[in-house]
Amino acid sequence: IPGRSRLFHPACSLAMPEGERGGFGRGFGDRGGDRGGRGGDRGGDRGGRGGDRGRGRGRGRGRGRRGGDDEKAWVPCTKLGRLVKDKKIKSIEYIYLHSLPIKETEIIDYFLGGPDGAGLKDEVMKIAPVQKQTKAGQRTRFRAYVAVGDGKGHIGLGSKCSKEVATAIRGAINDAKLNTIPCRRGFWGSKLGQPHTIPGKVTGKAGSVSVRLIPAPRGSGIVGAPITKKLLTMAGVHDCYSNAIGQTATGGNFAKAVFQAIGRTYTFLTPDMWAPTEFTKPPAQEFTDFLARSQKA
């Protein structure tokens, strides 16, 4: 342009010869792009030859993830975790019997995940944006509610708030695993076959939402809202009536109310539980020698 310095612009990089780019020396347009493109092609080819390991992210870095980097061996950091890993505790019901707090998600994966890790299912209940007013404006984050269950009498519900949706879901899954509780199942009428419903009427409340679960005959299915159906199905309940009042559009409180009602199925005593209780030593006392030896090692 007459009367002005000749500056480089990406739109006119094709019209200018390579030696007339102004005062930028070697330039930062075509040559760098070609180099990155060639590197990306090499990385993509190498990733293709290596199977799922490569992604081809430019500059020849096509190796991607390695097999053993993400899946690290579980190193327990609590006494309960050490007992579980060394197979001193045989079932998760033993943990519930002694009311031991579970602080590691690997304990739930060990008992409920199955050999291939497919025994535990997770379902996103609700994802809602939340905002905080600051001097610079609103700060938006996302709160995720996730439920996990094995369909055999265990259910967990967790929540997590984060800037990214994926991060919130991952944190909610871990929180749900730590909040896993047993769900007691029973019969309606004759005790034939496997338990299919809840043993009695239970109620849960969170915020303004109040949920009541009522036993139902076999074959009735789960009569209720989608959140109620998801949670009861993941808990292993096949037939149940439900009644909900309050602001049920608030999905987080609705899920919490249903979860609280499911947790109350073990809070009342029925004649089939009148057998004398045989008290045993808690795990920390029973395996005290093992814990002391492994801690020193």
Side-chain angles (χ1 to χ4, degrees):
I1 303 174
R4 296 186 181 180
S5 60
R6 305 183 65 181
L7 299 178
F8 170 78
H9 190 274
C12 49
S13 61
L14 298 177
M16 289 184 180
E18 193 168 334
E20 299 180 2
R21 292 180 178 174
F24 291 97
R26 294 165 56 188
F28 54 84
D30 296 44
R31 295 179 62 188
D34 293 341
R35 190 183 307 132
R38 290 195 299 269
D41 295 340
R42 290 198 301 269
D45 294 341
R46 188 180 306 145
R49 288 194 300 269
D52 296 335
R53 295 180 298 171
R55 296 182 181 179
R57 293 179 292 180
R59 291 189 180 270
R61 296 179 301 183
R63 55 184 178 272
R65 297 182 181 178
R66 294 183 180 178
D69 290 346
D70 294 337
E71 300 179 1
K72 296 181 180 178
W74 173 33
V75 180
C77 57
T78 60
K79 292 182 179 180
L80 180 61
R82 298 211 303 268
L83 293 175
V84 169
K85 187 175 182 180
D86 285 271
K87 300 181 180 180
K88 301 294 183 181
I89 296 179
K90 304 299 182 182
S91 65
I92 194 171
E93 277 70 25
Y94 186 80
I95 299 177
Y96 293 141
L97 178 64
H98 293 277
S99 300
L100 301 178
I102 299 176
K103 300 295 184 182
E104 298 179 77
T105 59
E106 290 83 0
I107 297 176
I108 302 298
D109 295 331
Y110 179 84
F111 286 119
L112 306 181
D116 54 351
L120 204 60
K121 306 294 183 181
D122 57 85
E123 184 78 26
V124 178
M125 296 287 106
K126 179 79 172 181
I127 297 179
V130 294
Q131 289 183 334
K132 176 183 178 182
Q133 186 69 35
T134 61
K135 293 181 180 180
Q138 293 88 6
R139 187 189 68 176
T140 303
R141 296 195 296 174
F142 298 94
R143 175 170 290 279
Y145 294 89
V146 178
V148 298
D150 61 347
K152 300 177 182 178
H154 301 93
I155 182 72
L157 179 67
S159 64
K160 174 66 176 178
C161 191
S162 179
K163 295 179 181 179
E164 301 291 337
V165 175
T167 307
I169 292 176
R170 284 197 301 268
I173 291 176
N174 292 334
D175 188 36
K177 290 180 180 179
L178 297 180
N179 294 332
T180 302
I181 60 173
C183 172
R184 187 182 176 194
R185 295 170 292 174
F187 299 90
W188 187 95
S190 60
K191 298 181 180 180
L192 298 176
Q194 297 296 325
H196 62 97
T197 184
I198 57 176
K201 299 177 183 179
V202 289
T203 304
K205 190 175 189 302
S208 67
V209 184
S210 180
V211 176
R212 190 185 191 199
L213 303 180
I214 305 169
R218 192 182 298 272
S220 300
I222 299 175
V223 182
I227 290 181
T228 306
K229 289 183 179 181
K230 289 180 182 178
L231 287 173
L232 290 176
T233 301
M234 298 178 75
V237 177
H238 304 291
D239 307 294
C240 184
Y241 297 139
S242 67
N243 177 30
I245 59 175
Q247 190 69 21
T248 56
T250 308
N253 287 343
F254 195 7
K256 288 181 180 179
V258 177
F259 181 69
Q260 185 185 86
I262 294 174
R264 288 181 175 178
T265 54
Y266 267 108
T267 57
F268 56 90
L269 191 64
T270 53
D272 58 346
M273 300 176 67
W274 285 357
T277 303
E278 297 181 1
F279 295 99
T280 58
K281 295 181 180 179
Q285 182 180 358
E286 183 179 356
F287 304 103
T288 179
D289 296 335
F290 168 78
L291 293 174
R293 183 175 64 254
S294 60
Q295 191 172 10
K296 291 181 181 179

